[in-house]
Amino acid sequence: MSEALIHAEGLARRYQMGKTDVHALRGVELTILPGEFVALVGPSGSGKSTLLHLIGGLVRPTAGRITVNGLELGRSSDRQLVRYRRDTLGFVFQNFNLLPIKRAWENVAVPLMLAGMPLAERKARALSILGQLGLAHRAEHRPSELSGGEQQRVAIARALANRPRLLLADEPTGNLDSHTGAEIMALLQKLVREEGLTLLLVTHDPGIAGYADRTITLRDGMIVA
Ligand code: ADP
């Protein structure tokens, strides 16, 4: 058995809302292996985003431990977390989060710029990933000139730019029609199979969860299935 990419033990997160405590996550045990495609489902308010943010190093646990790629996130410095997010993770969002004034290839190149890659090299890398995702002919277009499905593919290309081990996706098909959503899911599935990526995807939609190898269900801050 290969070593876990994500491992959580007794993972909890509490938020203070005035005088009341909100227990967003209460003792989550979780192991995800490299190369797995896992769907995270559960009703609104069950803690899905909190778990995704903990794994993304954007929020710290209030109890328990979360280790990703050998790094215990709750004990890491802010600098380590910045480096972790840059080198290990790719993020895909429901609303694409592309920069409207930048061309497709420039959007893909943003994380490469943040990593200090020279311009010629990052343009070449961005064009190569866009080509791999079937978007070579859209590289010079701005987001407003692209369809929703194309915008999400550009966003996936951006998430892949730094060759992450782990892709975190929050309702990535939530703004797409069902046909385009199915195309995006097929693309993500192919990336997991062919590139050895690990994918953790939050969704409300059982049809979307059906693309995953495994589904984790959260309820009231705990894993129930
Ligand atoms: P989901 O993504 O499943 O809808 P969340 O993780 O967003 O669930 O929320 C779980 C619970 O934690 C909810 O009750 C929510 O109101 C609360 N919560 C989440 N983030 C915060 C925050 N920053 N401050 C206060 N409460 C929060």
Side-chain angles (χ1 to χ4, degrees):
M1 187 170 132
S2 50
E3 200 167 311
L5 180 64
I6 302 176
H7 186 66
E9 277 174 33
L11 183 65
R13 173 70 207 196
R14 192 170 20 82
Y15 291 104
Q16 206 142 16
M17 292 287 284
K19 284 186 177 162
T20 56
D21 277 345
V22 179
H23 294 270
L25 278 189
R26 34 179 117 218
V28 163
E29 315 288 324
L30 176 69
T31 300
I32 295 179
L33 301 177
E36 274 197 294
F37 173 2
V38 176
L40 187 57
V41 304
S44 178
S46 58
K48 303 182 297 296
S49 307
T50 301
L51 182 54
L52 208 66
H53 291 162
L54 281 160
I55 293 169
L58 299 164
V59 162
R60 286 173 190 275
T62 41
R65 291 201 301 172
I66 169 82
T67 303
V68 185
N69 203 25
L71 190 68
E72 192 187 331
L73 303 180
R75 288 173 174 271
S76 301
S77 67
D78 290 344
R79 268 184 70 157
Q80 280 175 306
L81 291 178
V82 167
R83 203 178 317 131
Y84 159 73
R85 283 196 294 272
R86 189 191 68 200
D87 297 342
T88 308
L89 301 183
F91 290 94
V92 180
F93 307 93
Q94 178 170 356
N95 54 6
F96 323 135
N97 283 5
L98 297 173
L99 296 170
I101 60 159
K102 299 261 189 212
R103 298 174 189 282
W105 78 262
E106 292 171 316
N107 268 285
V108 176
V110 166
L112 303 172
M113 184 173 70
L114 297 176
M117 187 184 279
L119 175 63
E121 211 179 313
R122 60 182 193 254
K123 181 163 189 180
R125 167 108 185 108
L127 293 177
S128 145
I129 311 172
L130 285 171
Q132 201 188 327
L133 300 193
L135 282 176
H137 60 305
R138 293 283 184 263
E140 298 291 337
H141 290 246
R142 295 200 165 77
S144 62
E145 301 160 348
L146 300 172
S147 70
E150 287 172 335
Q151 289 184 61
Q152 192 58 301
R153 277 192 283 158
V154 171
I156 291 168
R158 177 184 56 190
L160 297 174
N162 278 336
R163 304 180 199 277
R165 289 196 74 189
L166 175 61
L167 217 54
L168 300 177
D170 198 351
E171 300 276 5
T173 60
N175 281 345
L176 303 174
D177 64 72
S178 59
H179 175 74
T180 309
E183 281 177 2
I184 292 293
M185 290 314 300
L187 171 64
L188 289 171
Q189 212 172 32
K190 178 165 171 269
L191 288 167
V192 172
R193 293 223 177 100
E194 293 178 6
E195 310 287 327
L197 270 171
T198 306
L199 172 58
L200 182 61
L201 180 147
V202 167
T203 184
H204 276 96
D205 182 341
I208 295 297
Y211 286 88
D213 306 324
R214 177 155 76 96
T215 297
I216 293 174
T217 306
L218 277 175
R219 193 162 310 229
D220 297 329
M222 286 185 289
I223 292 178
V224 292

